[in-house]
Amino acid sequence: MFKKSLMALLFFLINTALFSQTIISDNLQGGTKGRKYGGSFTSEGYKPGIGTNHILYKVPQQVYNGYIEVEVKGFNFNHFQKYFPNESTQTSFFIMYDGRGVNEPITYNPYYRNNFFRWEIVYRSVKKGSSSGNRFKGKMHTAAETPKRLNATKAWWKSLAHGTASDWSIEPNGIRVSWDPNRWYKIRVTWNNDTKDFKIYRDGKEVWHNKKNKGNSFSGESHAGHWFPAKSPYPWYPKDFRIWLGSGPRKYSSKLPNLVYRNFKVVKTSGNPDPDPDPDPDPDPDPDPDPDSEGDLVVTSPVAGQMLQAGSTHEIKWNPAGGSSVRLYFSSNGGSNWRTIVRRTANDGSYNWRVPSVTSNNCIIRIKNLSNSTNVRSGVFKIGNSSTPPPSGDLVVTSPTRGQVLQPRSNHEIKWNPAGGSSVRLYFSSNGGSSWRTIVRRTANDGSYRWRVPNATSNNCIIRIKDLRNNLSVRSERFRISNVSGSYLENNENVESVNAFEEKPTKFSLNQNYPNPFNPTTTITYAIPEAGYTELTVYNSLGQEVQKLVSGFKSQGTYNIQFNAENLSSGIYFYTLKSGNFVQTNKMLLLE
């Protein structure tokens, strides 16, 4: 027993040494490795006092997975009420952001308020009549991985009249804790971009999590009329990573006069940076745990059903369409969780991969085009070895099958291997997994469910089944829903049809809408000479997106879509078609 315990300890220490890197370590005893803006040093550490006094750290590299931590003392909750008796007040331990284009010290609006990678770590006081005080709190932004965001010289969005501009934003409440002003506490803030888990800990106890509100799992929230899922679709990954220790601008200034900081550090990790990691169940019952969209990229190896040997080398292959670089991921549980194989490699169509030592029937490779952020997946394959075959009891969808065509409004028996718990939840996607509808929230895990096929045709349909005992999700292969004579895709009140009997187009085109001017409906016709990911988007005269009419994989053909502008005000609008390298924008006029 002692020998095993010693080996386990050695393994932990070796892993810690190999897979973590301390980038900044500052004990704050009489001085700092950062830049001090006000405050003072005491015999115990750095004391910012009341206001925006802080220490600025410019982290010398990007940190994809990692954490920051510091020890604090002197937190007296009563000082909130003493100094600010009539309002809800929050004091910041840290603020973090992207410093591109920022003149320090950063000001609140718009440079921090609208920052691409804003994240404040605060504790809130009680506001009369509110239940959201006396607890940890954080607000986060992440930015889309587009060339516009990645290459920006100024890392903030333009201000909106109401709300905060962002690609993704979340602001859940954390939990309440008690404080002893004479005791030191360790605050750790962690981010794991592989799983999109962003957390705050106090002395090893989780006190805030982007996927929880007041300690309870939640699906997301709305800001300025936009719904944001709890799980970010983009990594929190500041390009010019900066940290304020001790306060933040304006309302995030320090409110506690006796708070002292010591032993600050920034650590880069290769995996989960949590102090006491445990598997986090999927908190969101409806959205896809990792939405993806079908682009021109196509994974050609491994193929569906293929068996790979654990520990062997396999050449991942794909059609190298799109940009110059891609990112590769691997899942052994049907896409519920992902590991990064390589963060950036040439988009040359192949990558030699060391197959991990796992056994599973639900393995998937995912490839992300770093130029346009589209994702494609391989079919579900297997990993095993000669002595340990893949488990036969995994949850596997057996019907509908790859490429199967179902008739709208028909009845189809969804089938699966009934492994796992006693109950499952079923979902349906008509756009390759970008969004999901719940078919049934709970049904017996008996291997079949009679399903009424919806009246919505698409070539990118998927069934997803979730085991409610262990939150494992698995997917069917892609299938089709189609009429014999043609196709009709319902998108709210906008209806699209394909001209099934016309000659196949040989070039891209986007026709002028008809009628134009119109009220309230008009028809837009476009042609796609080759299959590929296609978007048709309507914008207002300010360049703001009004509605995405088409978003998904389209086969070669000529399409008509009826746009219903019943809820829009009169004026000039623009519609843009993007497919492959083709982009065209036309103008239309809505009259009352």
Side-chain angles (χ1 to χ4, degrees):
M1 178 66 78
F2 174 76
K3 186 174 182 180
K4 288 184 178 179
S5 298
L6 180 60
M7 291 299 293
L9 177 61
L10 287 173
F11 180 78
F12 170 78
L13 292 174
I14 290 171
N15 273 322
T16 301
L18 288 176
F19 300 110
S20 66
Q21 175 191 359
T22 300
I23 300 173
I24 296 176
S25 180
D26 193 357
N27 63 20
L28 299 172
Q29 300 300 302
T32 178
K33 296 179 180 178
R35 180 176 178 181
K36 184 170 75 73
Y37 288 83
S40 60
F41 289 100
T42 71
S43 59
E44 293 185 303
Y46 174 65
K47 186 176 181 180
I50 295 289
T52 59
N53 300 326
H54 65 281
I55 293 175
L56 170 67
Y57 293 96
K58 294 185 178 182
V59 183
Q61 59 181 279
Q62 287 184 275
V63 182
Y64 188 73
N65 290 331
Y67 64 88
I68 63 173
E69 71 176 26
V70 75
E71 295 176 49
V72 299
K73 181 182 177 182
F75 194 110
N76 190 332
F77 188 77
N78 292 326
H79 285 164
F80 277 121
Q81 298 302 312
K82 181 179 179 181
Y83 288 92
F84 302 91
N86 298 318
E87 62 180 89
S88 175
T89 306
Q90 41 202 352
T91 194
S92 296
F93 298 105
F94 311 99
I95 66 162
M96 301 187 288
Y97 55 96
D98 192 317
R100 284 177 287 170
V102 171
N103 292 319
E104 295 292 350
I106 190 172
T107 54
Y108 177 72
N109 196 11
Y111 312 115
Y112 181 71
R113 180 175 184 259
N114 293 346
N115 198 268
F116 289 171
F117 297 100
R118 164 184 174 176
W119 189 3
E120 63 259 11
I121 293 82
V122 306
Y123 200 86
R124 296 188 72 176
S125 72
V126 176
K127 184 177 182 179
K128 188 175 181 179
S130 172
S131 63
S132 63
N134 190 6
R135 62 183 68 248
F136 275 90
K137 191 171 178 66
K139 182 172 184 177
M140 295 189 70
H141 293 168
T142 60
E145 293 183 286
T146 62
K148 183 177 180 179
R149 299 282 187 262
L150 296 174
N151 300 323
T153 57
K154 297 179 180 179
W156 58 86
W157 294 282
K158 293 182 179 179
S159 295
L160 297 179
H162 302 285
T164 303
S166 59
D167 293 334
W168 177 82
S169 178
I170 209 77
E171 191 179 3
N173 289 286
I175 65 171
R176 299 184 180 189
V177 296
S178 59
W179 296 90
D180 179 350
N182 298 311
R183 176 184 165 187
W184 285 100
Y185 296 94
K186 182 178 288 185
I187 308 295
R188 177 180 285 195
V189 183
T190 73
W191 56 97
N192 186 334
N193 281 309
D194 294 323
T195 61
K196 304 301 188 297
D197 284 293
F198 313 119
K199 302 180 182 181
I200 305 171
Y201 292 85
R202 194 189 75 165
D203 287 347
K205 178 182 179 180
E206 181 186 298
V207 293
W208 185 90
H209 186 185
N210 63 296
K211 298 177 182 177
K212 296 179 182 179
N213 186 46
K214 297 182 180 178
N216 300 312
S217 296
F218 84 132
S219 59
E221 58 192 18
S222 294
H223 293 296
H226 297 281
W227 172 261
F228 296 101
K231 182 176 181 178
S232 171
Y234 319 110
W236 186 81
Y237 198 37
K239 192 169 184 179
D240 181 359
F241 185 10
R242 300 189 188 183
I243 303 167
W244 276 29
L245 171 68
S247 74
R250 210 171 77 177
K251 64 180 180 179
Y252 300 115
S253 61
S254 172
K255 312 300 191 304
L256 298 175
N258 298 320
L259 203 59
V260 180
Y261 295 81
R262 72 180 185 188
N263 297 330
F264 170 78
K265 63 173 63 175
V266 180
V267 178
K268 182 178 182 179
T269 65
S270 62
N272 196 329
D274 296 344
D276 186 18
D278 58 350
D280 185 52
D282 179 10
D284 188 354
D286 290 324
D288 180 18
D290 202 320
D292 63 306
S293 54
E294 185 83 44
D296 290 335
L297 286 171
V298 178
V299 184
T300 57
S301 181
V303 296
Q306 184 174 355
M307 166 70 79
L308 303 184
Q309 291 295 311
S312 66
T313 299
H314 177 79
E315 187 178 11
I316 299 171
K317 296 181 180 180
W318 65 94
N319 172 37
S324 61
S325 301
V326 293
R327 183 172 298 155
L328 274 60
Y329 305 86
F330 165 69
S331 174
S332 62
N333 57 10
S336 294
N337 302 100
W338 296 92
R339 305 177 193 170
T340 302
I341 297 173
V342 59
R343 287 196 50 76
R344 184 179 292 272
T345 188
N347 187 10
D348 57 8
S350 68
Y351 182 85
N352 286 327
W353 175 48
R354 181 72 169 177
V355 180
S357 297
V358 299
T359 58
S360 172
N361 283 337
N362 288 297
C363 300
I364 303 174
I365 296 295
R366 180 160 62 96
I367 299 179
K368 179 175 185 177
N369 187 333
L370 295 181
S371 68
N372 57 21
S373 294
T374 56
N375 288 261
V376 293
R377 305 183 184 214
S378 69
V380 178
F381 62 95
K382 306 175 183 178
I383 295 178
N385 56 53
S386 56
S387 59
T388 307
S392 59
D394 283 354
L395 194 66
V396 178
V397 184
T398 57
S399 180
T401 58
R402 184 181 184 91
Q404 185 173 356
V405 179
L406 305 183
Q407 293 293 316
R409 296 180 178 174
S410 65
N411 292 317
H412 178 78
E413 189 174 5
I414 300 171
K415 296 181 180 179
W416 65 93
N417 174 36
S422 61
S423 301
V424 293
R425 184 171 297 153
L426 274 60
Y427 307 87
F428 165 69
S429 174
S430 62
N431 54 14
S434 294
S435 58
W436 296 91
R437 305 176 193 170
T438 301
I439 297 173
V440 58
R441 292 193 61 80
R442 182 180 293 271
T443 188
N445 188 9
D446 56 7
S448 68
Y449 181 84
R450 190 173 179 82
W451 174 47
R452 178 72 168 175
V453 179
N455 186 30
T457 65
S458 170
N459 291 335
N460 289 290
C461 300
I462 303 174
I463 295 295
R464 179 161 64 95
I465 300 179
K466 180 176 182 177
D467 186 337
L468 296 180
R469 183 186 69 177
N470 56 22
N471 291 314
L472 172 69
S473 290
V474 294
R475 303 181 183 211
S476 70
E477 299 287 351
R478 293 177 190 263
F479 61 95
R480 298 173 58 196
I481 298 177
S482 177
N483 292 297
V484 174
S485 59
S487 299
Y488 301 88
L489 181 60
E490 293 184 357
N491 182 4
N492 296 328
E493 297 180 355
N494 306 305
V495 180
E496 183 179 50
S497 64
V498 57
N499 299 329
F501 302 105
E502 288 189 359
E503 293 185 5
K504 296 296 185 182
T506 58
K507 63 180 181 179
F508 289 101
S509 66
L510 176 63
N511 294 351
Q512 185 64 50
N513 63 300
Y514 181 83
N516 187 46
F518 68 100
N519 178 26
T521 61
T522 188
T523 299
I524 300 171
T525 300
Y526 65 96
I528 305 295
E530 56 190 38
Y533 182 78
T534 301
E535 288 186 351
L536 180 62
T537 310
V538 177
Y539 301 90
N540 62 21
S541 59
L542 299 177
Q544 298 168 324
E545 181 178 318
V546 172
Q547 191 171 355
K548 196 174 289 293
L549 302 179
V550 177
S551 178
F553 189 86
K554 291 292 180 185
S555 300
Q556 180 188 22
T558 301
Y559 295 83
N560 304 311
I561 186 163
Q562 187 181 74
F563 172 50
N564 190 327
E566 185 176 26
N567 297 321
L568 298 178
S569 58
S570 61
I572 295 174
Y573 291 85
F574 299 88
Y575 55 101
T576 298
L577 178 68
K578 296 180 181 179
S579 186
N581 294 321
F582 177 82
V583 180
Q584 182 177 327
T585 299
N586 290 347
K587 182 169 65 174
M588 57 184 171
L589 177 61
L590 171 62
L591 297 178
E592 292 185 351

